[in-house]
Amino acid sequence: MRSLILDAARSIFLEKGYEQTSIRNIAERIEYSPGTIYLYFKEKDDIFHALHEEGFSRMLEQMQPLQFVSDPFERLKAMGRVYMEFAKNNKDFYDLMFIMQAPMKMEKNDEWVMGDRTLGYLKQVISECMATGRFQGRDVNFLSFTIWASLHGMCALYCRERCQAYHDEHIEHTALLNGGFQNFVDMLEKL
Amino acid sequence: MRSLILDAARSIFLEKGYEQTSIRNIAERIEYSPGTIYLYFKEKDDIFHALHEEGFSRMLEQMQPLQFVSDPFERLKAMGRVYMEFAKNNKDFYDLMFIMQAPMKMEKNDEWVMGDRTLGYLKQVISECMATGRFQGRDVNFLSFTIWASLHGMCALYCRERCQAYHDEHIEHTALLNGGFQNFVDMLEKL
DNA sequence: TTGTTTTACTGAACACCGTTCATTAAGTTT
DNA sequence: AAACTTAATGAACGGTGTTCAGTAAAACAA
C-alpha cells in the first residue's frame, strides 16, 4: 500500500509538478479516499521525504560507473559532470533533493541517510585527491562544501529560472551551465 | 493604498514567513476586506514581486560604499562578502530574491529590473578586473555566472537547511559559509 | 454457528487558501 | 434631485492538508 501511494505520488509529481501533487489527487489516482493515505503516511511531507530519498538513490546510481575512474581528480570532475547532468535531466527531483523546504521538516534523526551517503562519497574522493598532493592545506569539510555549493548554485539558479538574467545576451541556459562548470573546473585545477 | 498593502505584506512576511503571508492575513492587518487587495494588485505574486524588487534595492544599498574601493579585484571580493552577509542577515529577502518561484512568474518584460542592475554591476566589476590583466581569456558572462552561482550555492544551501548535512562534524553554519567563501576567493585569486 | 474483536477504509467536516463578482455605500457631476 | 463614478465589501467557488466518528469486512473465539 505504501508503495502504491508512493508510485502514484511520484508519477503525478513528475508529470504535473509539486503544486499539483495533492493528497486528494494521489487518493483519486489510486482510487482510495484521502483519509486512507494518512494511515500510511503521517503527513504530506512524509511522502515527499520518501521521494527525496529515492532521488538520491537515483543520483548515486548514475555515479556508480565512476568508481572505475582510477585517478581521483578525474573522478571528482566526472562526479561534478554527472551531478549537473542529473540536475538538468531531473529538474523536479533535483529541486526536491536540494531546494525545497518540504522534505526537510522531518525529524531528521532517522533519515537524510542517502544525502549523507552522497556527501560522504564526495568527501572521500576529495580525501583521495589530497592523498595525491592536491588541495594541500585545505579542510575536507570546507572544501567539499565549496565544491558542492558551487555546482549547486548553478543548478539552483537554473531550476529556479534565474538564468533568465542572461536572456538579453542570448545565452542558452545549457551553455551557461557548461561554461560555468568549465570555469569552476579550471579554478579547481589551479587550487 | 498600494504601499499600505505592501507595508503590511512586508511586515507579516518578515515576522511570520512566506507561508503565513496570505491575502486574508494582509487584509486583516490593514483592516480591509480581501477583495480590496485585488483592486491594487493583479494577483498575490504581484505583491511578492514588489517585495522582490525591494530586496534588490536593499542589497544594492549595502553595496553602495564599495564604489570607493579603487582596486577592482578588492571590490569584487568585498561585493562577495556583502552578498553573503546580506543572505545571512536577510534570509527571507534572499530567499524571495534568488530561490522562490513566486515572484518569477511575472511577465518579466517590465521588471526584473533591479536584478538586472545588480548583475550588471557584477559584470562591470569583472570587466574592470580583466582590464587590469586578471581572468585573461575568460568570458565575462560565463565568469559572472560562475562567481554568482558559487556564492549563491552556499547561501541557498544555508537558507534551505542543507548545511545540516555537516551537523555530525559539529561545524557551525556560519563557519561553513565563511570557510566556503574563503576557499572560493582563494580559487578566484589563482584563476 | 454465533458473538466479539481487529483491521481497513470512508467521507464529511474543519480551517485554511487565492480569486471573482454582484452588490452596496459614498462621493462627484450634471 | 437625479445620474453617474468610484471604492470597498463579503459571500461564494473551487481548491488545500488534516482529523475523526462511523462502517463494513475479515479474523478469531466460544
Side-chain angles (χ1 to χ4, degrees):
Chain A
M1 189 74 214
R2 218 166 175 279
S3 65
L4 182 67
I5 295 170
L6 239 36
D7 287 348
R10 187 193 315 105
S11 90
I12 297 176
F13 174 65
L14 290 179
E15 85 186 47
K16 304 192 184 182
Y18 178 77
E19 305 273 81
Q20 288 302 310
T21 312
S22 68
I23 296 290
R24 281 174 172 84
N25 282 345
I26 297 170
E28 192 185 20
R29 170 85 52 120
I30 62 176
E31 289 176 302
Y32 278 81
S33 103
T36 305
I37 289 174
Y38 286 87
L39 300 173
Y40 301 93
F41 291 91
K42 205 179 115 277
E43 55 194 342
K44 196 195 176 189
D45 286 355
D46 204 2
I47 296 173
F48 284 103
H49 182 73
L51 291 181
H52 177 268
E53 288 294 297
E54 192 183 306
F56 278 102
S57 86
R58 284 184 184 217
M59 195 172 90
L60 279 173
E61 215 171 283
Q62 296 190 16
M63 295 204 170
Q64 211 54 30
L66 304 187
Q67 65 186 299
F68 301 114
V69 180
S70 53
D71 178 46
F73 189 64
E74 285 303 317
R75 192 155 73 250
L76 178 62
K77 288 190 287 184
M79 273 181 73
R81 228 170 288 128
V82 169
Y83 183 91
M84 298 208 32
E85 280 301 311
F86 181 86
K88 223 192 299 171
N89 302 329
N90 306 274
K91 236 176 155 175
D92 297 298
F93 261 119
Y94 187 87
D95 204 308
L96 192 59
M97 290 158 71
F98 297 112
I99 306 180
M100 283 185 190
Q101 216 95 62
M104 286 295 105
K105 291 176 192 158
M106 309 290 312
E107 311 87 9
K108 75 213 81 342
N109 46 354
D110 59 342
E111 320 211 27
W112 155 261
V113 158
M114 285 307 214
D116 267 358
R117 191 177 313 183
T118 314
L119 182 57
Y121 188 21
L122 172 61
K123 287 200 277 195
Q124 198 219 303
V125 176
I126 293 173
S127 293
E128 289 180 46
C129 286
M130 291 174 96
T132 71
R134 240 181 231 279
F135 308 142
Q136 276 187 359
R138 301 283 158 189
D139 176 89
V140 185
N141 280 306
F142 288 151
L143 189 54
S144 68
F145 182 67
T146 309
I147 294 172
W148 175 26
S150 296
L151 300 196
H152 168 65
M154 297 189 267
C155 298
L157 291 175
Y158 169 72
C159 284
R160 293 301 179 98
E161 278 3 300
R162 263 64 175 192
C163 289
Q164 301 236 338
Y166 292 89
H167 184 337
D168 291 351
E169 276 82 5
H170 305 103
I171 302 173
E172 287 291 332
H173 296 179
T174 171
L176 213 49
L177 291 182
N178 290 337
F181 180 69
Q182 192 51 59
N183 272 339
F184 185 72
V185 166
D186 290 349
M187 291 172 81
L188 216 49
E189 230 136 30
K190 292 179 184 167
L191 184 69
Chain B
M1 189 74 213
R2 217 165 175 280
S3 65
L4 181 67
I5 295 169
L6 238 37
D7 287 348
R10 186 191 316 104
S11 91
I12 297 176
F13 174 65
L14 290 178
E15 85 187 46
K16 304 193 186 182
Y18 178 76
E19 305 273 83
Q20 288 302 310
T21 312
S22 68
I23 297 288
R24 282 174 170 85
N25 282 344
I26 298 170
E28 192 186 21
R29 169 84 52 119
I30 61 177
E31 290 177 303
Y32 278 83
S33 100
T36 305
I37 289 175
Y38 286 88
L39 300 174
Y40 301 93
F41 291 90
K42 203 179 116 278
E43 55 193 340
K44 195 194 176 191
D45 286 354
D46 205 3
I47 296 173
F48 283 103
H49 181 73
L51 291 180
H52 176 268
E53 288 294 296
E54 192 183 307
F56 278 103
S57 87
R58 284 183 183 218
M59 195 172 91
L60 279 172
E61 216 172 283
Q62 296 189 17
M63 295 207 172
Q64 210 55 31
L66 304 187
Q67 66 185 300
F68 301 114
V69 179
S70 53
D71 178 46
F73 189 65
E74 286 302 318
R75 192 155 74 251
L76 178 62
K77 288 190 287 185
M79 273 180 73
R81 229 171 286 127
V82 169
Y83 184 92
M84 298 207 34
E85 280 300 312
F86 180 85
K88 223 193 297 173
N89 302 329
N90 307 274
K91 235 175 155 175
D92 297 298
F93 262 119
Y94 186 87
D95 204 309
L96 192 59
M97 291 157 71
F98 297 111
I99 306 180
M100 282 186 193
Q101 215 96 61
M104 286 295 105
K105 292 176 194 161
M106 309 288 314
E107 310 86 9
K108 77 215 85 328
N109 47 353
D110 59 342
E111 318 211 27
W112 154 259
V113 159
M114 284 306 213
D116 267 358
R117 192 177 312 185
T118 315
L119 181 58
Y121 189 20
L122 171 62
K123 286 200 278 196
Q124 197 218 303
V125 176
I126 293 174
S127 293
E128 288 180 46
C129 285
M130 291 174 96
T132 71
R134 238 181 235 279
F135 309 142
Q136 278 186 359
R138 301 284 157 188
D139 176 271
V140 186
N141 280 307
F142 287 151
L143 188 53
S144 68
F145 181 66
T146 308
I147 294 172
W148 175 25
S150 296
L151 301 196
H152 168 65
M154 298 190 266
C155 298
L157 291 175
Y158 169 73
C159 284
R160 293 302 178 98
E161 265 29 281
R162 264 61 176 196
C163 288
Q164 301 236 338
Y166 292 89
H167 185 301
D168 291 350
E169 276 81 5
H170 305 102
I171 303 174
E172 288 290 331
H173 296 178
T174 172
L176 213 49
L177 291 181
N178 290 336
F181 180 69
Q182 192 50 59
N183 272 340
F184 185 72
V185 166
D186 291 349
M187 292 171 80
L188 215 49
E189 231 137 29
K190 293 180 183 168
L191 184 68

